[in-house]
Amino acid sequence: MAIKGKAPSASSVEQNVYKVFPNDLNSKYTVFGGLVMSLCDRTALIVAERHSGSTCVTAAVDSLNFLAPARAGDTLIVKAAVNRSWRSSMEIGVHVAAEDSFTGNTRHVVSAYLTFVALDDSGKPRSVPDVLPETKVQKRRFDEAQVRRDGRLASKRR
Ligand SMILES: CC(C)(COP(=O)(O)OP(=O)(O)OC[C@H]1O[C@@H](n2cnc3c(N)ncnc32)[C@H](O)[C@@H]1OP(=O)(O)O)[C@@H](O)C(=O)NCCC(=O)NCCS
């Protein structure tokens, strides 16, 4: 029997770490934004595939805000969790921090919301388990995700 619902903690990625080297930098010697976007997408994909138990594709990326630059030598720490699911789609929230390995100081670099769709063997969208939020924070994210989805689908129709 298919699983009816799963808690976000069952699929979350608590710490995906990436050490920044000089070949990760742009011409201003800060981390190339595309690298951070790729890290967000890959980490969120892990969450979506854990939650759904299926192959998933990225359907949409919204609100990817670069809040501060990361630099050579920093360690990027990526956290991701599923906020809410609908029939075949899931919203995954991602948080990226840059850590100075010598001092342990961290800066919030990026927050993003990504939507993934689970696919069946023939490549068609398939249903996914509900998200069962447990904590106050997870419940807030669950409620806010519906508002974001409504906006996302409205802007897709425009
Ligand atoms: C994402 C994709 C599978 C959706 O397929 P589709 O034929 O539009 O299927 P549907 O209309 O049934 O939509 C499936 C789900 O995706 C959601 N969806 C589709 N586009 C979306 C968007 N831009 N934002 C949010 N959700 C979206 C729908 O709301 C639906 O969700 P639900 O089942 O939870 O209600 C299809 O558009 C696709 O394959 N896109 C390319 C994906 C890809 O290659 N990603 C990598 C990019 S490099």
Side-chain angles (χ1 to χ4, degrees):
M1 201 174 87
I3 299 170
K4 182 84 183 80
K6 290 165 80 173
S9 57
S11 57
S12 61
V13 171
E14 296 303 327
Q15 236 190 37
N16 180 16
V17 294
Y18 182 92
K19 180 74 172 170
V20 176
F21 285 132
N23 64 332
D24 296 320
L25 305 182
N26 59 29
S27 49
K28 287 283 183 197
Y29 302 103
T30 60
V31 172
F32 171 54
L35 171 87
V36 181
M37 290 163 72
S38 170
L39 264 179
C40 289
D41 199 18
R42 284 169 191 265
T43 310
L45 173 67
I46 293 167
V47 174
E49 294 195 339
R50 282 180 177 169
H51 182 77
S52 64
S54 309
T55 299
C56 294
V57 289
T58 317
V61 180
D62 56 299
S63 306
L64 197 149
N65 297 301
F66 289 95
L67 305 170
R71 298 195 166 80
D74 283 348
T75 302
L76 298 178
I77 302 173
V78 189
K79 298 179 182 184
V82 62
N83 291 334
R84 188 161 182 154
S85 63
W86 293 274
R87 195 194 81 78
S88 66
S89 65
M90 298 152 276
E91 183 193 89
I92 315 295
V94 181
H95 177 282
V96 185
E99 179 191 71
D100 179 319
S101 304
F102 304 124
T103 64
N105 291 336
T106 59
R107 301 181 311 286
H108 183 189
V109 171
V110 163
S111 279
Y113 299 107
L114 293 88
T115 303
F116 285 83
V117 175
L119 303 178
D120 65 17
D121 291 343
S122 59
K124 296 267 183 303
R126 56 159 292 183
S127 60
V128 300
D130 293 338
V131 171
L132 306 177
E134 293 177 319
T135 67
K136 211 170 154 187
V137 170
Q138 289 169 356
K139 285 178 185 144
R140 176 180 54 74
R141 290 173 179 161
F142 182 88
D143 291 339
E144 291 174 356
Q146 184 63 49
V147 178
R148 283 189 292 270
R149 170 175 158 100
D150 294 344
R152 220 173 267 139
L153 295 184
S155 75
K156 189 185 173 194
R157 282 191 292 269
R158 267 185 231 127

